[in-house]
Amino acid sequence: MHRDVKELVRRGYDRAAESYLAARPMAGADVALLAHLFDRLAPGAAVLDAGCGAGQPVTAALRDAGLAAIGLDLSRRQLELGRRDGAVTAPVQADLVALPFPAGTFAGVVSYYAIFHLPRAEHSAVFAEIRRVLRSRGLALLCLGSRDVPEDLDPESWLGQPMYWSQFDASRNLDLLRAAGFENLWQREVTDPMAHGRHLFVLVQVRG
């Protein structure tokens, strides 16, 4: 089942890649949150954008801030667009539950609008992988669910493509992050820039 919904998500983003890039606002409250990460990272720090899409606006903003950004996504077509436009200069196609990097590779990880496309039974594994690839006291700025949605399979209304969502509510997400070894620096709900409700954004740091 998990493999099937991941393939559905991958195909959906492949087929809607151009439409999504055209529709995605390049500024807003979500993008503004990146400044909180910039303030805490040294110039040139290695940062992973996990679920980068075509790299606009997040991966590009990381690079513009002087960080060494690597973009990872499940969708090959999204990564091709990012490389074409210069937003994703180091594209990696992979699943968030199996990040293809050694432990302690990154000073920061960013993930916008990606984790809740995986079955929520895998979210603990995603948080563990993010923790693994972060250095001591590394930072993660993550977009997560703010309400409980076991599964939501939309057959056609997401840019004309089937799409899948699965998420825990805010309280459960914070519990899972603590269990994965993170301390919470702040949390806030932000309206989706494409009018898909509100999401929980958190800035967390590796404990110890």
Side-chain angles (χ1 to χ4, degrees), residues 7-20 75 77-78 158-162:
E7 179 62 15
L8 181 147
V9 170
R10 186 196 63 75
R11 282 199 312 267
Y13 272 102
D14 277 350
R15 293 172 179 171
E18 285 83 358
S19 298
Y20 182 80
S75 165
R77 181 56 183 157
Q78 293 268 23
W158 189 86
L159 296 172
Q161 300 297 328

Side-chain angles (χ1 to χ4, degrees), residues 37-49:
L37 190 68
F38 300 158
D39 290 343
R40 292 171 166 86
L41 292 176
V47 178
L48 174 66
D49 186 358

